[in-house]
Amino acid sequence: MAAVIETKNLTKRYGNFHAVKDLNLKIGEGEIFGFLGPNGAGKTTTIGMLIGILYPTKGSVHLFGRDLSDDYFNLKRRIGVVSEQQYMYNNMTAYEYLSFFADLYAVKNKKERIDELLKFVELYEFRNKRLKEYSKGMRQKISISRALVHDPDILFLDEPAYGLDPVGVKEVRDIIFHQKDKGKTIFMSSHILSEVEKICDEVGIINKGILVERGSMKQLKGFSSGIHELDIEVDKINDGIITTLKKFNFIEDIEVDGGNKNILKIKTIDGDHRVEISRCIFKNNGTIIGMSEKKTSLEDAFVEITRGGVKNE
Amino acid sequence: MNDRLHAVYLIGKKDFFETIHSLGIYLTMTLSFGLAAIIFYIFASQIKDSVLVMSRPVDFIFMFCVVGISFLYLAVSSVTSIAKEKGDKTIEVLFYGPVDEISFIFGKYAARILSYIFILLFSILFILFSDFFVHLGIPYDFVKLVILSIFLISCIIALGIFLSTLTSSVGGSIVLLIGFFVILFVIGIISWILSIIPIGMDTTIDLIRNIVVGILNAAKYVSPLEYLGIGWDAISSEDNGKYILSILYSGAYSLVFLMASVIILIKRGAKQ
């Protein structure tokens, strides 16, 4: 798959502080890429450089295989950006605002396109209302409409669901999926990890300006040290079960739940060992009543990766 | 249309329409026309009593009431233009799209030049209308003065835009503008004080005088008021060479400050 976004040793330094350091990214066409990191990790700075509003100290950004500075105006027409905060000309109406940007991007059939977008984000009836009178959720929808007005090939979203209520978050998610269905590439940073988990194909985690991990959602979850946590309810736990289980190399830890004497809490490593554990309990005259496995979420992986320090440092 | 020109046109159009839909420009015109009407009345009385000593009274009214007041209004408008966009961070959103530093700065500049032309059109109509009753007489080279005034106003717009790129708040930009003219004024005062001290009294004072005179000479080139003076002299003395030179000076001055604004914006980035 051809890379539509590519960075090579992308670096932004403020004095001696590296906001972003030697960032190498390749994002393919039609991909939804989630860019994660703690506050101040360098996400917004990276997006700023990708969209050309910040100049890198070192390194390069290529969009569609071309350096932004080589074909500035054409490349800018192929990207759409939604920022964390909605910065708008508040005295304009929604229609005037979108009309101005449609002109800037030289959109053909401007009126039809704006009407289509306003209907899509369900703000058509408010099109002649001034933006200063809009709620935060409405403003975010207008920001998204502005970013989509020229039907861009890449959409950069910096915390698109920031400060939105659950309905707003879902609406933003639906818009993103709609764009994905149209084959658009989406680069998204977000603090709402559950949203990233639902939306993104690939995720990159940046910490202290350095990309510490990158991979598919499955790969990142697998990063989480490979420990599986099992809660097993047994009709009667005896010493034989515990002694035999402790002999397995893949058992990292085993304990009986202090409150409920029938529950075994087991931590295993190196993959899925539920079958071996079940057989062992059965052989030692125990009957399994229930078994649950704690799933590793993106949040677990994120916390572990960012707490674990910088892998490539 | 060229991409950059397209962006200049749209930014200029947006700002110009914002200006003509705001109160400021109409207050400026009201003040300008009110003052002009008073001066017209005074001059008309003097003509009646045959005591008018001023040559070219219409030129004076135009320069004092129209150019002078527009100068102040457009100085404030220019110096706040980019600072406001930076403060509101709307500059960032513009730069998400096909807008670069050159198109942004020149778009802002174009909007303010258009605003002045808007003021100018109404002012000329007002002057022609007033003179129809008062008969002060429109000088044959009044058109030259009108054209020159666009270049002179261009200087303050370019300077204002330049100062505006240095700060991110509207208040800060106005302080910067006032500070700029206060510094020029203080240099002028010190220069005057030194000029009344006889040369050769004290070597230190002579040295200070030379330094201040040097600064004053350099300040001449950064003060748009200097170009206003040169232009006015050229018209008064009917010196065509000086007139063309004055236009060239003003054009070069504007271009230098606009390009300096572009460089600063590139250095500081659209993202504040």
Short mmCIF file of all heavy atoms in Angstrom, two decimals, chain A residues 44-45 48 51-55 72-74 76-77 79 81-83 85 87-89 92 97 100-101 103-106 146 158, chain B residues 3-4 6-7 10-11 13-14 18 85 88-101 103 265-266 269-271:
data_model
loop_
_atom_site.label_atom_id
_atom_site.label_comp_id
_atom_site.label_asym_id
_atom_site.label_seq_id
_atom_site.Cartn_x
_atom_site.Cartn_y
_atom_site.Cartn_z
N THR A 44 0.26 17.13 19.20
CA THR A 44 -0.21 18.31 18.47
C THR A 44 0.94 18.93 17.67
O THR A 44 0.73 19.40 16.55
CB THR A 44 -0.84 19.32 19.45
OG1 THR A 44 -1.90 18.65 20.13
CG2 THR A 44 -1.40 20.53 18.75
N THR A 45 2.14 18.90 18.22
CA THR A 45 3.30 19.42 17.48
C THR A 45 3.51 18.61 16.21
O THR A 45 3.76 19.16 15.14
CB THR A 45 4.57 19.36 18.37
OG1 THR A 45 4.29 20.05 19.58
CG2 THR A 45 5.77 19.98 17.69
N GLY A 48 0.91 19.52 13.78
CA GLY A 48 1.24 20.85 13.27
C GLY A 48 2.26 20.78 12.14
O GLY A 48 2.15 21.48 11.13
N ILE A 51 0.73 19.09 8.88
CA ILE A 51 -0.19 19.92 8.09
C ILE A 51 0.45 21.25 7.66
O ILE A 51 -0.20 22.08 7.05
CB ILE A 51 -1.51 20.18 8.84
CG1 ILE A 51 -1.27 20.95 10.14
CG2 ILE A 51 -2.25 18.89 9.12
CD1 ILE A 51 -2.54 21.32 10.90
N GLY A 52 1.71 21.42 8.04
CA GLY A 52 2.46 22.57 7.54
C GLY A 52 2.22 23.89 8.26
O GLY A 52 2.50 24.94 7.70
N ILE A 53 1.74 23.83 9.50
CA ILE A 53 1.63 25.11 10.23
C ILE A 53 2.78 25.28 11.22
O ILE A 53 2.90 26.31 11.85
CB ILE A 53 0.26 25.29 10.93
CG1 ILE A 53 0.01 24.20 11.96
CG2 ILE A 53 -0.87 25.36 9.93
CD1 ILE A 53 -1.11 24.56 12.91
N LEU A 54 3.60 24.26 11.34
CA LEU A 54 4.84 24.36 12.12
C LEU A 54 5.97 23.87 11.23
O LEU A 54 5.81 22.85 10.54
CB LEU A 54 4.77 23.47 13.36
CG LEU A 54 4.06 23.99 14.60
CD1 LEU A 54 4.06 22.92 15.68
CD2 LEU A 54 4.72 25.24 15.14
N TYR A 55 7.07 24.57 11.26
CA TYR A 55 8.21 24.14 10.46
C TYR A 55 9.09 23.20 11.28
O TYR A 55 9.44 23.55 12.40
CB TYR A 55 9.01 25.35 9.98
CG TYR A 55 8.27 26.17 8.96
CD1 TYR A 55 7.63 27.36 9.32
CD2 TYR A 55 8.18 25.76 7.64
CE1 TYR A 55 6.93 28.10 8.39
CE2 TYR A 55 7.49 26.51 6.71
CZ TYR A 55 6.86 27.68 7.08
OH TYR A 55 6.17 28.42 6.17
N TYR A 72 2.98 23.10 -2.18
CA TYR A 72 2.25 23.56 -1.01
C TYR A 72 0.74 23.69 -1.23
O TYR A 72 -0.05 23.07 -0.55
CB TYR A 72 2.85 24.91 -0.57
CG TYR A 72 2.25 25.47 0.70
CD1 TYR A 72 2.72 25.08 1.93
CD2 TYR A 72 1.22 26.41 0.65
CE1 TYR A 72 2.18 25.59 3.10
CE2 TYR A 72 0.68 26.93 1.81
CZ TYR A 72 1.16 26.53 3.03
OH TYR A 72 0.62 27.03 4.17
N PHE A 73 0.36 24.48 -2.22
CA PHE A 73 -1.06 24.79 -2.39
C PHE A 73 -1.88 23.57 -2.81
O PHE A 73 -2.97 23.36 -2.29
CB PHE A 73 -1.24 25.94 -3.39
CG PHE A 73 -0.80 27.26 -2.82
CD1 PHE A 73 0.46 27.75 -3.07
CD2 PHE A 73 -1.65 28.00 -2.02
CE1 PHE A 73 0.88 28.96 -2.54
CE2 PHE A 73 -1.26 29.22 -1.48
CZ PHE A 73 0.01 29.70 -1.74
N ASN A 74 -1.33 22.76 -3.72
CA ASN A 74 -2.08 21.56 -4.16
C ASN A 74 -2.22 20.56 -3.03
O ASN A 74 -3.29 19.95 -2.87
CB ASN A 74 -1.38 20.91 -5.35
CG ASN A 74 -1.72 21.64 -6.63
OD1 ASN A 74 -2.81 22.22 -6.75
ND2 ASN A 74 -0.79 21.66 -7.57
N LYS A 76 -2.16 21.18 0.17
CA LYS A 76 -3.06 21.74 1.19
C LYS A 76 -4.53 21.53 0.80
O LYS A 76 -5.39 21.41 1.66
CB LYS A 76 -2.79 23.23 1.37
CG LYS A 76 -1.54 23.51 2.18
CD LYS A 76 -1.83 23.36 3.66
CE LYS A 76 -0.67 23.79 4.50
NZ LYS A 76 -1.04 24.47 5.71
N ARG A 77 -4.78 21.50 -0.50
CA ARG A 77 -6.17 21.28 -0.95
C ARG A 77 -6.61 19.84 -0.77
O ARG A 77 -7.78 19.54 -0.87
CB ARG A 77 -6.30 21.65 -2.43
CG ARG A 77 -6.37 23.12 -2.63
CD ARG A 77 -7.09 23.47 -3.92
NE ARG A 77 -6.91 24.88 -4.13
CZ ARG A 77 -5.88 25.40 -4.79
NH1 ARG A 77 -4.99 24.62 -5.35
NH2 ARG A 77 -5.77 26.70 -4.91
N ILE A 79 -5.89 18.07 2.01
CA ILE A 79 -6.00 17.69 3.43
C ILE A 79 -7.08 18.52 4.12
O ILE A 79 -7.37 19.64 3.73
CB ILE A 79 -4.65 17.84 4.20
CG1 ILE A 79 -4.21 19.31 4.27
CG2 ILE A 79 -3.57 16.99 3.57
CD1 ILE A 79 -3.01 19.54 5.18
N VAL A 81 -8.41 19.49 8.21
CA VAL A 81 -7.91 19.46 9.60
C VAL A 81 -9.01 19.87 10.57
O VAL A 81 -9.69 20.88 10.36
CB VAL A 81 -6.70 20.42 9.76
CG1 VAL A 81 -6.13 20.34 11.18
CG2 VAL A 81 -5.63 20.14 8.73
N VAL A 82 -9.15 19.09 11.62
CA VAL A 82 -10.03 19.47 12.72
C VAL A 82 -9.17 19.56 13.97
O VAL A 82 -8.49 18.61 14.32
CB VAL A 82 -11.15 18.42 12.95
CG1 VAL A 82 -12.03 18.82 14.12
CG2 VAL A 82 -11.99 18.25 11.69
N SER A 83 -9.19 20.73 14.60
CA SER A 83 -8.34 20.90 15.78
C SER A 83 -9.13 20.62 17.06
O SER A 83 -10.35 20.50 17.04
CB SER A 83 -7.77 22.31 15.81
OG SER A 83 -8.83 23.23 15.75
N GLN A 85 -9.53 22.59 19.68
CA GLN A 85 -10.40 23.73 19.99
C GLN A 85 -10.96 24.28 18.68
O GLN A 85 -10.28 24.21 17.66
CB GLN A 85 -9.61 24.85 20.69
CG GLN A 85 -8.91 24.42 21.96
CD GLN A 85 -9.85 24.28 23.13
OE1 GLN A 85 -10.95 24.82 23.13
NE2 GLN A 85 -9.44 23.52 24.14
N TYR A 87 -11.55 27.17 16.57
CA TYR A 87 -11.23 28.57 16.35
C TYR A 87 -12.00 29.05 15.13
O TYR A 87 -11.78 28.54 14.03
CB TYR A 87 -9.73 28.76 16.13
CG TYR A 87 -8.89 28.09 17.18
CD1 TYR A 87 -7.96 27.10 16.85
CD2 TYR A 87 -9.02 28.43 18.53
CE1 TYR A 87 -7.18 26.49 17.81
CE2 TYR A 87 -8.24 27.81 19.49
CZ TYR A 87 -7.33 26.84 19.12
OH TYR A 87 -6.56 26.23 20.07
N MET A 88 -12.90 30.01 15.35
CA MET A 88 -13.78 30.41 14.24
C MET A 88 -13.95 31.92 14.16
O MET A 88 -13.69 32.62 15.13
CB MET A 88 -15.17 29.80 14.45
CG MET A 88 -15.17 28.32 14.32
SD MET A 88 -16.79 27.68 14.66
CE MET A 88 -16.51 25.97 14.28
N TYR A 89 -14.43 32.36 13.01
CA TYR A 89 -14.83 33.76 12.87
C TYR A 89 -16.25 33.84 13.42
O TYR A 89 -17.22 33.55 12.73
CB TYR A 89 -14.77 34.18 11.41
CG TYR A 89 -13.36 34.12 10.85
CD1 TYR A 89 -13.00 33.20 9.88
CD2 TYR A 89 -12.38 34.99 11.33
CE1 TYR A 89 -11.71 33.14 9.40
CE2 TYR A 89 -11.08 34.93 10.85
CZ TYR A 89 -10.76 34.01 9.89
OH TYR A 89 -9.47 33.95 9.41
N MET A 92 -19.46 35.37 11.85
CA MET A 92 -20.02 34.81 10.61
C MET A 92 -21.11 33.80 10.96
O MET A 92 -21.10 33.20 12.03
CB MET A 92 -18.93 34.07 9.83
CG MET A 92 -17.93 34.94 9.13
SD MET A 92 -16.83 33.89 8.15
CE MET A 92 -15.82 35.11 7.35
N TYR A 97 -19.30 31.05 6.95
CA TYR A 97 -18.02 30.46 7.34
C TYR A 97 -17.62 29.34 6.36
O TYR A 97 -16.51 29.34 5.83
CB TYR A 97 -18.15 29.91 8.76
CG TYR A 97 -16.89 29.34 9.36
CD1 TYR A 97 -15.83 30.16 9.72
CD2 TYR A 97 -16.75 27.97 9.57
CE1 TYR A 97 -14.68 29.64 10.28
CE2 TYR A 97 -15.60 27.44 10.13
CZ TYR A 97 -14.58 28.28 10.49
OH TYR A 97 -13.44 27.75 11.04
N PHE A 100 -16.80 30.74 2.92
CA PHE A 100 -15.46 31.32 2.81
C PHE A 100 -14.42 30.23 2.56
O PHE A 100 -13.57 30.36 1.67
CB PHE A 100 -15.13 32.11 4.10
CG PHE A 100 -13.70 32.55 4.18
CD1 PHE A 100 -13.21 33.51 3.31
CD2 PHE A 100 -12.84 31.98 5.10
CE1 PHE A 100 -11.88 33.91 3.37
CE2 PHE A 100 -11.51 32.37 5.17
CZ PHE A 100 -11.04 33.34 4.30
N PHE A 101 -14.51 29.16 3.34
CA PHE A 101 -13.52 28.09 3.17
C PHE A 101 -13.74 27.33 1.85
O PHE A 101 -12.76 26.89 1.23
CB PHE A 101 -13.51 27.16 4.39
CG PHE A 101 -12.74 27.76 5.53
CD1 PHE A 101 -13.38 28.44 6.54
CD2 PHE A 101 -11.36 27.70 5.55
CE1 PHE A 101 -12.67 29.04 7.57
CE2 PHE A 101 -10.63 28.29 6.58
CZ PHE A 101 -11.29 28.96 7.59
N ASP A 103 -14.69 28.68 -0.88
CA ASP A 103 -14.04 29.54 -1.88
C ASP A 103 -12.53 29.37 -1.83
O ASP A 103 -11.86 29.32 -2.87
CB ASP A 103 -14.40 31.01 -1.63
CG ASP A 103 -15.82 31.34 -2.06
OD1 ASP A 103 -16.36 30.59 -2.91
OD2 ASP A 103 -16.40 32.31 -1.54
N LEU A 104 -12.01 29.32 -0.60
CA LEU A 104 -10.56 29.19 -0.42
C LEU A 104 -10.06 27.91 -1.08
O LEU A 104 -8.99 27.89 -1.69
CB LEU A 104 -10.25 29.18 1.09
CG LEU A 104 -8.86 29.56 1.54
CD1 LEU A 104 -8.45 30.94 1.05
CD2 LEU A 104 -8.78 29.52 3.05
N TYR A 105 -10.83 26.84 -0.96
CA TYR A 105 -10.45 25.56 -1.55
C TYR A 105 -10.96 25.42 -3.00
O TYR A 105 -10.82 24.35 -3.60
CB TYR A 105 -11.01 24.40 -0.71
CG TYR A 105 -10.33 24.22 0.62
CD1 TYR A 105 -10.93 24.65 1.80
CD2 TYR A 105 -9.08 23.60 0.71
CE1 TYR A 105 -10.32 24.47 3.03
CE2 TYR A 105 -8.47 23.42 1.94
CZ TYR A 105 -9.09 23.85 3.10
OH TYR A 105 -8.47 23.67 4.31
N ALA A 106 -11.55 26.49 -3.50
CA ALA A 106 -12.10 26.49 -4.87
C ALA A 106 -13.05 25.31 -5.11
O ALA A 106 -12.92 24.57 -6.10
CB ALA A 106 -10.96 26.49 -5.88
N ARG A 146 -16.16 22.14 7.94
CA ARG A 146 -15.14 22.98 7.29
C ARG A 146 -13.99 22.12 6.76
O ARG A 146 -13.49 22.33 5.66
CB ARG A 146 -14.63 24.02 8.30
CG ARG A 146 -13.76 25.11 7.75
CD ARG A 146 -12.29 24.98 8.14
NE ARG A 146 -12.13 24.78 9.58
CZ ARG A 146 -11.31 23.86 10.09
NH1 ARG A 146 -10.61 23.05 9.30
NH2 ARG A 146 -11.21 23.71 11.39
N ASP A 158 -7.34 16.31 15.48
CA ASP A 158 -6.62 16.45 16.75
C ASP A 158 -7.67 16.50 17.87
O ASP A 158 -8.34 17.53 18.03
CB ASP A 158 -5.77 17.73 16.71
CG ASP A 158 -4.82 17.83 17.90
OD1 ASP A 158 -4.76 16.86 18.69
OD2 ASP A 158 -4.16 18.87 18.04
N ASP B 3 -2.68 30.43 -7.32
CA ASP B 3 -3.11 29.99 -5.98
C ASP B 3 -2.93 31.07 -4.92
O ASP B 3 -3.81 31.30 -4.08
CB ASP B 3 -2.28 28.77 -5.55
CG ASP B 3 -2.61 27.56 -6.41
OD1 ASP B 3 -3.79 27.38 -6.73
OD2 ASP B 3 -1.68 26.81 -6.75
N ARG B 4 -1.78 31.72 -4.99
CA ARG B 4 -1.48 32.72 -3.96
C ARG B 4 -2.37 33.95 -4.12
O ARG B 4 -2.89 34.48 -3.14
CB ARG B 4 0.00 33.09 -4.05
CG ARG B 4 0.49 33.89 -2.88
CD ARG B 4 1.99 33.98 -2.87
NE ARG B 4 2.62 32.82 -2.28
CZ ARG B 4 3.75 32.27 -2.70
NH1 ARG B 4 4.38 32.79 -3.73
NH2 ARG B 4 4.27 31.23 -2.10
N HIS B 6 -5.26 34.00 -5.44
CA HIS B 6 -6.61 33.58 -5.06
C HIS B 6 -6.80 33.74 -3.54
O HIS B 6 -7.82 34.26 -3.08
CB HIS B 6 -6.80 32.12 -5.49
CG HIS B 6 -8.12 31.53 -5.11
ND1 HIS B 6 -9.30 31.91 -5.73
CD2 HIS B 6 -8.47 30.61 -4.17
CE1 HIS B 6 -10.30 31.23 -5.18
NE2 HIS B 6 -9.83 30.45 -4.24
N ALA B 7 -5.77 33.30 -2.78
CA ALA B 7 -5.85 33.42 -1.32
C ALA B 7 -5.81 34.88 -0.89
O ALA B 7 -6.56 35.29 0.01
CB ALA B 7 -4.70 32.64 -0.68
N LEU B 10 -9.24 36.35 -1.49
CA LEU B 10 -10.29 35.93 -0.55
C LEU B 10 -10.09 36.48 0.86
O LEU B 10 -11.05 36.90 1.51
CB LEU B 10 -10.37 34.40 -0.50
CG LEU B 10 -11.02 33.79 -1.73
CD1 LEU B 10 -10.78 32.30 -1.78
CD2 LEU B 10 -12.51 34.08 -1.75
N ILE B 11 -8.84 36.50 1.31
CA ILE B 11 -8.56 37.06 2.65
C ILE B 11 -8.86 38.57 2.63
O ILE B 11 -9.46 39.12 3.55
CB ILE B 11 -7.11 36.77 3.08
CG1 ILE B 11 -6.93 35.26 3.29
CG2 ILE B 11 -6.74 37.52 4.36
CD1 ILE B 11 -5.50 34.82 3.46
N LYS B 13 -10.89 40.15 0.61
CA LYS B 13 -12.35 40.35 0.49
C LYS B 13 -13.04 40.15 1.84
O LYS B 13 -13.87 40.96 2.24
CB LYS B 13 -12.90 39.35 -0.55
CG LYS B 13 -14.35 39.60 -0.94
CD LYS B 13 -14.76 38.68 -2.08
CE LYS B 13 -15.79 37.70 -1.58
NZ LYS B 13 -16.31 36.81 -2.60
N LYS B 14 -12.65 39.09 2.52
CA LYS B 14 -13.26 38.79 3.83
C LYS B 14 -13.03 39.96 4.80
O LYS B 14 -13.96 40.45 5.44
CB LYS B 14 -12.66 37.51 4.41
CG LYS B 14 -13.19 37.15 5.80
CD LYS B 14 -12.49 35.96 6.39
CE LYS B 14 -11.14 36.24 6.95
NZ LYS B 14 -11.09 37.18 8.08
N GLU B 18 -15.71 42.66 6.34
CA GLU B 18 -15.81 42.79 7.81
C GLU B 18 -15.69 44.26 8.20
O GLU B 18 -16.44 44.75 9.04
CB GLU B 18 -14.67 42.01 8.48
CG GLU B 18 -15.09 40.63 8.97
CD GLU B 18 -13.91 39.84 9.51
OE1 GLU B 18 -12.94 40.45 10.00
OE2 GLU B 18 -13.97 38.62 9.41
N GLU B 85 -6.11 37.85 14.83
CA GLU B 85 -6.17 36.49 14.27
C GLU B 85 -5.31 35.52 15.10
O GLU B 85 -5.68 34.37 15.28
CB GLU B 85 -5.67 36.48 12.82
CG GLU B 85 -6.58 37.22 11.87
CD GLU B 85 -7.37 36.31 10.93
OE1 GLU B 85 -7.49 35.12 11.22
OE2 GLU B 85 -7.88 36.83 9.93
N ASP B 88 -7.13 35.02 18.54
CA ASP B 88 -8.31 34.13 18.40
C ASP B 88 -7.93 32.77 17.80
O ASP B 88 -8.78 31.89 17.70
CB ASP B 88 -9.35 34.79 17.47
CG ASP B 88 -9.93 36.05 18.06
OD1 ASP B 88 -9.74 36.26 19.26
OD2 ASP B 88 -10.56 36.83 17.31
N LYS B 89 -6.68 32.67 17.36
CA LYS B 89 -6.14 31.46 16.73
C LYS B 89 -6.84 31.11 15.41
O LYS B 89 -6.74 29.98 14.93
CB LYS B 89 -6.17 30.27 17.69
CG LYS B 89 -5.34 30.53 18.93
CD LYS B 89 -4.89 29.26 19.58
CE LYS B 89 -3.90 29.58 20.68
NZ LYS B 89 -3.31 28.43 21.29
N THR B 90 -7.55 32.07 14.85
CA THR B 90 -8.18 31.81 13.55
C THR B 90 -7.12 31.75 12.44
O THR B 90 -7.36 31.14 11.40
CB THR B 90 -9.21 32.91 13.22
OG1 THR B 90 -8.63 34.17 13.53
CG2 THR B 90 -10.48 32.74 14.03
N ILE B 91 -5.97 32.33 12.71
CA ILE B 91 -4.86 32.27 11.74
C ILE B 91 -4.47 30.81 11.48
O ILE B 91 -4.17 30.41 10.36
CB ILE B 91 -3.64 33.10 12.23
CG1 ILE B 91 -2.55 33.13 11.17
CG2 ILE B 91 -3.09 32.59 13.55
CD1 ILE B 91 -1.37 34.04 11.51
N GLU B 92 -4.53 30.02 12.56
CA GLU B 92 -4.17 28.60 12.47
C GLU B 92 -5.10 27.89 11.47
O GLU B 92 -4.64 27.13 10.62
CB GLU B 92 -4.33 28.00 13.86
CG GLU B 92 -3.38 26.89 14.16
CD GLU B 92 -3.54 26.38 15.58
OE1 GLU B 92 -3.27 27.15 16.52
OE2 GLU B 92 -3.95 25.22 15.74
N VAL B 93 -6.39 28.18 11.60
CA VAL B 93 -7.38 27.51 10.74
C VAL B 93 -7.19 27.93 9.28
O VAL B 93 -7.31 27.10 8.38
CB VAL B 93 -8.82 27.82 11.23
CG1 VAL B 93 -9.84 27.08 10.40
CG2 VAL B 93 -8.97 27.44 12.69
N LEU B 94 -6.86 29.19 9.07
CA LEU B 94 -6.60 29.65 7.70
C LEU B 94 -5.44 28.88 7.09
O LEU B 94 -5.49 28.47 5.94
CB LEU B 94 -6.25 31.14 7.70
CG LEU B 94 -7.37 32.15 7.64
CD1 LEU B 94 -6.79 33.55 7.64
CD2 LEU B 94 -8.20 31.95 6.38
N PHE B 95 -4.41 28.69 7.90
CA PHE B 95 -3.21 28.02 7.40
C PHE B 95 -3.40 26.51 7.27
O PHE B 95 -2.52 25.84 6.73
CB PHE B 95 -2.00 28.34 8.29
CG PHE B 95 -1.34 29.64 7.92
CD1 PHE B 95 -1.93 30.85 8.25
CD2 PHE B 95 -0.14 29.67 7.22
CE1 PHE B 95 -1.35 32.04 7.89
CE2 PHE B 95 0.46 30.86 6.87
CZ PHE B 95 -0.15 32.05 7.20
N TYR B 96 -4.48 25.96 7.77
CA TYR B 96 -4.78 24.55 7.49
C TYR B 96 -5.02 24.39 5.98
O TYR B 96 -4.81 23.33 5.43
CB TYR B 96 -6.08 24.10 8.19
CG TYR B 96 -6.03 24.02 9.70
CD1 TYR B 96 -7.22 23.98 10.43
CD2 TYR B 96 -4.83 23.98 10.38
CE1 TYR B 96 -7.21 23.91 11.81
CE2 TYR B 96 -4.83 23.92 11.77
CZ TYR B 96 -6.02 23.88 12.48
OH TYR B 96 -6.01 23.81 13.83
N GLY B 97 -5.51 25.47 5.39
CA GLY B 97 -5.88 25.42 3.98
C GLY B 97 -4.81 26.01 3.09
O GLY B 97 -3.68 26.24 3.51
N PRO B 98 -5.16 26.26 1.83
CA PRO B 98 -4.18 26.79 0.87
C PRO B 98 -3.89 28.28 1.07
O PRO B 98 -4.24 29.11 0.25
CB PRO B 98 -4.83 26.51 -0.49
CG PRO B 98 -6.28 26.44 -0.21
CD PRO B 98 -6.47 26.00 1.19
N VAL B 99 -3.29 28.58 2.20
CA VAL B 99 -2.89 29.95 2.53
C VAL B 99 -1.46 29.88 3.04
O VAL B 99 -1.15 29.02 3.87
CB VAL B 99 -3.80 30.53 3.65
CG1 VAL B 99 -3.29 31.87 4.13
CG2 VAL B 99 -5.24 30.65 3.17
N ASP B 100 -0.59 30.73 2.52
CA ASP B 100 0.76 30.78 3.07
C ASP B 100 1.02 32.17 3.64
O ASP B 100 0.14 33.04 3.61
CB ASP B 100 1.81 30.38 2.01
CG ASP B 100 1.90 31.39 0.88
OD1 ASP B 100 1.03 32.28 0.81
OD2 ASP B 100 2.82 31.28 0.05
N GLU B 101 2.20 32.36 4.16
CA GLU B 101 2.50 33.61 4.87
C GLU B 101 2.35 34.82 3.94
O GLU B 101 1.83 35.86 4.34
CB GLU B 101 3.92 33.58 5.46
CG GLU B 101 4.09 32.64 6.64
CD GLU B 101 4.31 31.18 6.24
OE1 GLU B 101 4.35 30.90 5.02
OE2 GLU B 101 4.40 30.33 7.13
N SER B 103 0.50 35.15 1.15
CA SER B 103 -0.89 35.45 0.79
C SER B 103 -1.65 36.03 1.99
O SER B 103 -2.50 36.90 1.83
CB SER B 103 -1.60 34.22 0.24
OG SER B 103 -1.44 33.13 1.09
N LEU B 265 6.51 36.08 10.34
CA LEU B 265 5.45 35.07 10.43
C LEU B 265 6.00 33.67 10.13
O LEU B 265 5.64 32.69 10.80
CB LEU B 265 4.32 35.42 9.45
CG LEU B 265 2.95 34.84 9.76
CD1 LEU B 265 2.49 35.24 11.14
CD2 LEU B 265 1.93 35.30 8.73
N ILE B 266 6.90 33.59 9.18
CA ILE B 266 7.53 32.28 8.88
C ILE B 266 8.34 31.83 10.09
O ILE B 266 8.27 30.68 10.51
CB ILE B 266 8.42 32.38 7.62
CG1 ILE B 266 7.54 32.55 6.37
CG2 ILE B 266 9.31 31.15 7.48
CD1 ILE B 266 8.30 32.87 5.10
N GLY B 269 5.85 31.10 12.99
CA GLY B 269 4.86 30.07 12.65
C GLY B 269 3.44 30.56 12.85
O GLY B 269 3.18 31.44 13.70
N ALA B 270 2.52 29.97 12.09
CA ALA B 270 1.11 30.35 12.22
C ALA B 270 0.55 29.83 13.52
O ALA B 270 -0.39 30.38 14.08
CB ALA B 270 0.33 29.80 11.05
N LYS B 271 1.14 28.74 14.01
CA LYS B 271 0.66 28.17 15.27
C LYS B 271 1.38 28.87 16.40
O LYS B 271 2.60 28.84 16.49
CB LYS B 271 0.98 26.68 15.29
CG LYS B 271 0.31 25.96 16.44
CD LYS B 271 0.47 24.46 16.26
CE LYS B 271 -0.09 23.75 17.47
NZ LYS B 271 -1.51 24.01 17.67
#
